[in-house]
Amino acid sequence: MTPYRRAGASRSPAHPGRQSLSIGPFEPELGGYLPEVSLTYETWGELDETQENAVLIVHALTGDSHAAGAPDEKYRRGGWWDPMIGPGRPVDTDKYFVICSNVLGGCSGSTGPASEDPETGYPYAMRFPVVTIRDMVRAQKRLLDRLGVRRLAAVAGGSIGGQQALEWAVEFPDFVRKAAVVAANGALGPQGLGMSEIGRRAIMADPDWQYGDYYGTGRRPDAGLAIARMAGMMTYQSAPGQWERFGRRPATRPALYPEFGGRFEIESYLHYQGRDLVNRFDANSYLYLTRAMDLYDVGAGYASHEEAYSRIRAEVLFVGISSDWLFPASEVRAAAEQAKEAGADAAYAEIESMNGHDSFLKDWDQMRSILGPFLSA
Amino acid sequence: MTPYRRAGASRSPAHPGRQSLSIGPFEPELGGYLPEVSLTYETWGELDETQENAVLIVHALTGDSHAAGAPDEKYRRGGWWDPMIGPGRPVDTDKYFVICSNVLGGCSGSTGPASEDPETGYPYAMRFPVVTIRDMVRAQKRLLDRLGVRRLAAVAGGSIGGQQALEWAVEFPDFVRKAAVVAANGALGPQGLGMSEIGRRAIMADPDWQYGDYYGTGRRPDAGLAIARMAGMMTYQSAPGQWERFGRRPATRPALYPEFGGRFEIESYLHYQGRDLVNRFDANSYLYLTRAMDLYDVGAGYASHEEAYSRIRAEVLFVGISSDWLFPASEVRAAAEQAKEAGADAAYAEIESMNGHDSFLKDWDQMRSILGPFLSA
């Protein structure tokens, strides 16, 4: 394989589009068995002779493998991290072979609860085993092995993607040179756990959920999933950010639900966010992925968080967001300090923003100025 | 009427128990008509000759008229503000005639959506008009008139009760000598609005809600109301408080719902809080009262907040709670400053606590040391 080189006016990295690869049978760490797992992924740029110029990008909860790319019909905003990925961008596709795969348990191509169980011919639904952040990372590792990657120059992600970036550094210390852990830490706090459970209860209380077996019935727990999304969106934004963006202004968009005493813009926004998600996401996947996020504890299987952090050989940059209340900056900073005390080469940087948790998908200037030097150093 | 006096060893104020009084027909400010409204209330102590020694206590969202009283079968924790009310307590029943009424729109005796519409013989359900904080206050005013109260020595409440305390001072400036506005301000922010709407959506998405007409059908939107309560509880607590109280500890109580990847204590707590509420609260009332809370804007009907605040003749004490995220302390303080600038006799005090919004129902020492001097001065 030859490294990707810029050719004339073309600034587009090699991008073969969405692909899927079988990684064989899989045993999730908490039990159960998946006889056949495949992961859907996209790549940009080319793997060089060293097979060590790979960068793994890990998507957030409802994201998918389409990390980079200009806006098109399917992705009206383009790839979800496009400003970060491309020639001359922090994740430089002239230098790196960039991979983003849909996570295990997801619903955008990779094996998840909506997939057919080859042993029954029916979708797994809630018979899908509980999968963890570590399982997601182990599945990705198999994918990278099959793609010929010998070592990751870097892994980067935010939120549940940040949890995976951290777990990569802990689980496969010799495989990861750098890990950018954005808006995440070693374990979600109780406020996040509570909000997460509100969403799951809304899905599971929806009679159309049918204990997960809604596939093919013509009914889906759209109402529940929309409420779950509303709860999620609250945790992705900050109070000052919502004051600025919505305040107490009345809604301007048409109502999606019968009016009851008027409607504020923030309500309308949440309604539309909910509706948007049900059109592109599977409710059971939402249950499994939020559960994985909740369950993640970097110290699980080790004597302590310290022991887990002491395994790290990668250079780790924790990035907190000043107004994040899902993973508060103070807790991200604390994780960085704990990792450092445990001997890891860990640093902390903070994004100053009112955009809350979602800053890693919005504050491109700060994201670039923080991750650019880290990744190119 | 003679003032209540301590007699020998008895320290119990006169308390005739729960009573109801018709206040006649009522026209809510946003439209609609209620041909007959009655309010359920309780009193402690006695109205003196001046008829000006009355203190009105206003309950929070899911509270009721039982502000004071020792624990008993129905109220295992006693009156919801009992440590504040009684002989020698900040709301001294030796001095004051204390009244607490269930709000208009409520479900603990006062006319609300579960009440029978005398014109149809059926419960109002969603045909109940939207009621506002101002409507609640106007209804209470009629009750006080009928009870012979000429002027309030004080009105006090937290959260939606605090909104009412403030509205009392604005709407009936000559009737109120002091107003204690706890954990509330002139208008709820978008984060509160959003959380409130998540709860309402959960209720309205529950098929057992039946567009509000669930009374007598044998089905109630318990699942939806429980989720609404879970969302509410999140806004009543703080992240540091939840770390201390729940952390990431596993649940110890029996599961109320099928397990899915284990259960954290915070989840179990929320589940139980949800179940507890459905056993004592009406889902439609929850819709109406949260809507009133959202809609409250002290400046509504005036040219500005300033104009509204400038009407105040009472001495007003705004009390913020350092860890409140429903009514952040900074926003409560800002309301106090705005009122002061508008010429009102307004002051601000802050409770330092990790108990979040709920501090006004928990941090008794601070509540007493703040409200005691204010009320007795």
Side-chain angles (χ1 to χ4, degrees):
Chain A
M1 283 184 247
T2 49
Y4 170 78
R5 289 277 172 261
R6 251 178 267 172
S10 167
R11 298 277 295 165
S12 297
H15 175 56
R18 229 167 91 140
Q19 299 171 274
S20 284
L21 205 61
S22 165
I23 59 163
F26 192 89
E27 284 183 46
E29 62 166 331
L30 299 181
Y33 178 73
L34 293 164
E36 170 57 33
V37 166
S38 79
L39 294 186
T40 289
Y41 66 98
E42 294 178 54
T43 67
W44 297 265
E46 290 185 26
L47 192 64
D48 68 15
E49 303 80 4
T50 68
Q51 295 165 277
E52 295 190 354
N53 73 324
V55 172
L56 180 68
I57 304 297
V58 194
H59 67 74
L61 191 66
T62 66
D64 62 14
S65 60
H66 199 60
D72 58 25
E73 263 189 30
K74 183 168 178 199
Y75 298 93
R76 21 181 206 107
R77 288 181 195 166
W80 56 267
W81 238 27
D82 190 69
M84 302 296 291
I85 304 168
R89 294 182 180 164
V91 182
D92 192 336
T93 47
D94 282 349
K95 285 170 59 183
Y96 298 120
F97 175 59
V98 179
I99 309 126
C100 181
S101 85
N102 184 219
V103 294
L104 175 66
C107 54
S108 303
S110 294
T111 300
S115 304
E116 184 186 297
D117 177 352
E119 289 179 357
T120 65
Y122 292 101
Y124 285 104
M126 298 306 284
R127 292 166 295 278
F128 197 76
V130 171
V131 290
T132 64
I133 298 295
R134 186 172 293 160
D135 290 326
M136 294 173 190
V137 166
R138 286 178 179 170
Q140 285 162 354
K141 173 67 161 58
R142 292 222 217 139
L143 173 68
L144 297 186
D145 289 344
R146 278 161 179 72
L147 292 176
V149 174
R150 287 222 314 215
R151 193 165 178 237
L152 282 174
V155 55
S159 194
I160 192 176
Q163 293 179 313
Q164 287 167 74
L166 176 57
E167 184 59 21
W168 260 103
V170 171
E171 177 74 0
F172 298 108
D174 298 323
F175 197 84
V176 181
R177 212 160 67 79
K178 292 183 183 181
V181 179
V182 185
N185 63 14
L188 184 64
Q191 206 169 44
L193 298 177
M195 292 298 288
S196 186
E197 177 63 2
I198 287 166
R200 281 191 302 267
R201 284 299 314 141
I203 291 169
M204 292 169 127
D206 186 334
D208 289 338
W209 179 61
Q210 306 168 67
Y211 299 93
D213 283 313
Y214 50 83
Y215 306 108
T217 65
R219 297 187 290 127
R220 290 186 317 191
D222 286 357
L225 179 57
I227 294 168
R229 179 59 164 180
M230 290 168 66
M233 291 311 298
M234 292 306 295
T235 68
Y236 306 154
Q237 303 187 345
S238 77
Q242 291 190 329
W243 264 116
E244 184 173 275
R245 186 164 172 191
F246 308 109
R248 289 178 50 86
R249 288 187 289 281
T252 50
R253 284 175 288 194
L256 295 184
Y257 304 107
E259 288 275 1
F260 173 56
R263 211 159 28 93
F264 291 96
E265 183 70 5
I266 174 72
E267 297 176 294
S268 173
Y269 169 82
L270 294 173
H271 294 164
Y272 276 81
Q273 287 289 327
R275 187 175 76 169
D276 180 61
L277 190 70
V278 302
N279 291 329
R280 65 180 176 87
F281 211 79
D282 175 58
N284 284 340
S285 263
Y286 197 92
L287 299 177
Y288 278 87
L289 299 189
T290 56
R291 203 37 150 177
M293 213 168 155
D294 295 351
L295 290 174
Y296 182 57
D297 185 323
V298 66
Y302 303 104
S304 63
H305 277 210
E306 286 68 21
E307 190 185 305
Y309 286 132
S310 75
R311 292 170 50 87
I312 296 176
R313 298 284 165 269
E315 194 183 332
V316 184
L317 178 66
F318 289 85
V319 182
I321 295 154
S322 60
S323 59
D324 193 346
W325 70 264
L326 189 57
F327 287 98
S330 60
E331 295 177 18
V332 178
R333 178 191 290 271
E337 282 162 7
Q338 223 182 343
K340 213 167 173 175
E341 278 163 29
D345 181 2
Y348 176 76
E350 193 163 308
I351 292 174
E352 272 296 327
S353 170
M354 293 199 311
N355 285 325
H357 187 65
D358 264 354
S359 288
F360 74 94
L361 300 169
K362 286 180 177 168
D363 288 289
W364 301 119
D365 285 350
Q366 289 188 70
M367 283 291 289
R368 273 190 288 248
S369 69
I370 288 171
L371 290 192
F374 174 70
L375 294 173
S376 65
Chain B
M1 282 183 246
T2 49
Y4 170 77
R5 288 278 171 260
R6 249 178 269 173
S10 166
R11 298 277 295 166
S12 298
H15 175 55
R18 231 167 91 138
Q19 299 171 274
S20 284
L21 204 62
S22 166
I23 60 162
F26 192 90
E27 284 183 45
E29 62 165 332
L30 299 181
Y33 178 72
L34 293 165
E36 171 57 33
V37 166
S38 79
L39 294 185
T40 289
Y41 66 99
E42 293 177 56
T43 66
W44 296 265
E46 290 185 26
L47 193 63
D48 69 14
E49 304 80 4
T50 68
Q51 294 165 279
E52 295 190 355
N53 72 324
V55 172
L56 180 68
I57 304 296
V58 194
H59 66 74
L61 191 66
T62 66
D64 62 14
S65 61
H66 199 61
D72 58 25
E73 264 190 28
K74 183 167 179 200
Y75 297 93
R76 13 175 215 113
R77 288 182 193 163
W80 57 267
W81 239 27
D82 190 69
M84 302 297 290
I85 304 168
R89 295 182 181 165
V91 182
D92 192 335
T93 48
D94 283 349
K95 287 169 58 183
Y96 299 120
F97 175 59
V98 180
I99 309 125
C100 182
S101 85
N102 185 219
V103 295
L104 175 66
C107 54
S108 302
S110 294
T111 301
S115 304
E116 185 185 297
D117 178 352
E119 289 180 356
T120 65
Y122 292 101
Y124 285 104
M126 298 305 284
R127 291 167 295 278
F128 197 76
V130 171
V131 291
T132 64
I133 298 295
R134 186 171 293 161
D135 290 325
M136 294 173 189
V137 165
R138 287 178 179 171
Q140 286 161 354
K141 172 68 162 58
R142 290 221 218 140
L143 173 67
L144 297 186
D145 289 343
R146 278 160 179 72
L147 292 177
V149 174
R150 287 221 314 215
R151 193 165 177 237
L152 283 172
V155 55
S159 194
I160 191 176
Q163 292 179 314
Q164 287 167 73
L166 176 57
E167 183 60 20
W168 261 104
V170 172
E171 177 74 0
F172 298 109
D174 298 324
F175 197 84
V176 182
R177 211 160 66 80
K178 291 182 183 181
V181 179
V182 185
N185 63 14
L188 183 63
Q191 207 169 44
L193 298 177
M195 292 298 288
S196 185
E197 176 64 2
I198 287 166
R200 281 191 301 267
R201 283 299 314 139
I203 291 169
M204 293 170 128
D206 186 333
D208 289 338
W209 178 61
Q210 305 168 67
Y211 299 93
D213 283 313
Y214 51 83
Y215 306 108
T217 65
R219 296 187 291 128
R220 290 186 317 189
D222 286 357
L225 179 57
I227 294 168
R229 179 59 164 179
M230 291 168 65
M233 290 311 297
M234 292 306 295
T235 69
Y236 305 153
Q237 303 187 346
S238 77
Q242 291 190 328
W243 264 115
E244 184 173 275
R245 186 164 174 192
F246 308 109
R248 288 179 51 85
R249 289 186 288 283
T252 51
R253 284 175 288 194
L256 296 184
Y257 303 107
E259 288 274 2
F260 174 56
R263 212 160 26 94
F264 292 96
E265 183 69 5
I266 174 71
E267 297 176 294
S268 173
Y269 169 82
L270 293 173
H271 295 164
Y272 276 81
Q273 287 289 327
R275 187 176 76 171
D276 180 62
L277 190 70
V278 302
N279 291 330
R280 66 180 176 86
F281 211 79
D282 175 58
N284 285 340
S285 263
Y286 197 91
L287 299 177
Y288 279 87
L289 299 190
T290 56
R291 203 35 151 180
M293 211 168 157
D294 295 351
L295 289 174
Y296 182 57
D297 185 324
V298 66
Y302 302 104
S304 63
H305 278 210
E306 286 68 22
E307 190 184 304
Y309 286 131
S310 75
R311 292 170 50 87
I312 296 177
R313 298 284 165 269
E315 194 182 332
V316 183
L317 179 65
F318 288 86
V319 182
I321 295 154
S322 60
S323 59
D324 193 346
W325 71 263
L326 189 58
F327 287 98
S330 59
E331 295 178 18
V332 178
R333 178 192 289 273
E337 282 162 7
Q338 222 181 345
K340 212 167 174 175
E341 277 163 30
D345 182 1
Y348 176 76
E350 193 164 308
I351 292 175
E352 271 296 327
S353 170
M354 292 199 311
N355 284 326
H357 187 64
D358 264 353
S359 287
F360 73 94
L361 300 169
K362 286 181 177 167
D363 289 290
W364 301 118
D365 285 350
Q366 289 189 70
M367 283 292 289
R368 273 190 288 249
S369 68
I370 287 171
L371 290 193
F374 174 69
L375 294 174
S376 65

